[in-house]
Amino acid sequence: DQQVKQNSPSLSVQEGRISILNCDYTNSMFDYFLWYKKYPAEGPTFLISISSIKDKNEDGRFTVFLNKSAKHLSLHIVPSQPGDSAVYFCAASARFSGGSNYKLTFGKGTLLTVNP
Amino acid sequence: KAGVTQTPRYLIKTRGQQVTLSCSPISGHRSVSWYQQTPGQGLQFLFEYFSETQRNKGNFPGRFSGRQFSNSRSEMNVSTLELGDSALYLCASSLAQPQETQYFGPGTRLLVL
């Protein structure tokens, strides 16, 4: 049972355009969401996070939007650059709910390719 | 502040052997989580340790085990290796709770022949 789903295995965009990566979740206990970026043969790097009390968080070119009613979040990258080409993982946890689920749950990732 | 380190970076083993991987968390971080990454499967959670205690375990067979030392360093062990164990094994640390932001090491690439 996949609690965090990234339905697009890959996405290709032109340099300078917007990249939108999507993520859906099913567990209503999740209240903290993160995006990680991963290059081949390296560990994932933390990009940006959002708690469920917010619907938007921005950090430079990266913005994460959270729609709790739809159980959906998205990562916007504007403008996209060739160096952004990587696999992006969405992750979720029940950080603030006090649950004993001591882990992050990850999606399977989306490969973003930014073409020059 | 140094990041998460993992040793070795690459490993080649044969079926039936066992392997031990090591992870040193960021200084001050007490929670260590382990993941297996294989193509198309994303990051599969193995287990999480805090204060030398395993707090959570994923759906992996008992051949996969781990431990944590008093200095928060962690090891994972895989016994009786199978071809399907070939993967990138990632370690991540966080301050106290894995539900917080986790910071990953570079991983150990294990190839089982």
Side-chain angles (χ1 to χ4, degrees):
Chain A
D1 175 30
Q2 243 191 301
Q3 296 186 64
V4 178
K5 296 180 184 179
Q6 293 178 257
N7 292 319
S8 298
S10 63
L11 174 69
S12 183
V13 299
Q14 286 299 118
E15 182 179 4
R17 298 290 186 100
I18 183 171
S19 294
I20 300 176
L21 297 110
N22 294 303
C23 178
D24 297 295
Y25 63 96
T26 57
N27 189 338
S28 57
M29 294 292 287
F30 288 153
D31 53 22
Y32 185 59
F33 306 89
L34 311 89
W35 285 94
Y36 286 84
K37 170 174 143 178
K38 186 181 183 300
Y39 294 117
E42 293 183 12
T45 303
F46 169 70
L47 266 179
I48 191 168
S49 63
I50 188 168
S51 71
S52 59
I53 61 172
K54 293 186 169 184
D55 53 20
K56 176 182 172 182
N57 189 25
E58 200 169 347
D59 183 2
R61 296 185 299 114
F62 301 92
T63 304
V64 56
F65 294 92
L66 175 62
N67 182 333
K68 290 185 288 295
S69 59
K71 293 192 175 69
H72 176 83
L73 65 154
S74 60
L75 174 68
H76 292 210
I77 306 174
V78 184
S80 301
Q81 300 172 354
D84 296 329
S85 297
V87 176
Y88 288 78
F89 289 100
C90 168
S93 78
R95 176 177 180 180
F96 304 107
S97 67
S100 61
N101 190 14
Y102 295 106
K103 64 177 184 177
L104 291 182
T105 301
F106 285 83
K108 292 191 175 183
T110 297
L111 173 62
L112 173 66
T113 303
V114 181
N115 302 302
Chain B
K1 193 184 258 191
V4 178
T5 58
Q6 291 186 247
T7 56
R9 291 293 310 277
Y10 303 95
L11 208 45
I12 299 176
K13 292 284 187 178
T14 55
R15 277 184 301 174
Q17 287 187 307
Q18 75 164 24
V19 66
T20 299
L21 313 181
S22 181
C23 171
S24 292
I26 292 171
S27 177
H29 284 195
R30 296 173 65 192
S31 168
V32 174
S33 299
W34 287 89
Y35 298 86
Q36 180 195 67
Q37 188 194 12
T38 52
Q41 290 303 311
L43 277 69
Q44 307 270 72
F45 173 74
L46 280 155
F47 25 65
E48 187 262 348
Y49 286 88
F50 178 84
S51 290
E52 303 176 65
T53 301
Q54 186 183 89
R55 289 195 294 194
N56 200 2
K57 189 177 191 305
N59 296 323
F60 279 81
R63 300 186 296 108
F64 291 81
S65 63
R67 59 177 176 168
Q68 187 181 35
F69 303 94
S70 58
N71 62 358
S72 294
R73 190 176 72 82
S74 177
E75 288 180 348
M76 68 163 279
N77 184 77
V78 188
S79 62
T80 321
L81 283 166
E82 300 177 358
L83 296 179
D85 297 333
S86 295
L88 180 67
Y89 290 88
L90 292 159
C91 164
S93 74
S94 58
L95 273 171
Q97 301 292 342
Q99 301 99 306
E100 302 164 356
T101 304
Q102 293 184 17
Y103 296 89
F104 284 82
T108 295
R109 172 72 63 184
L110 171 65
L111 178 60
V112 182
L113 301 175

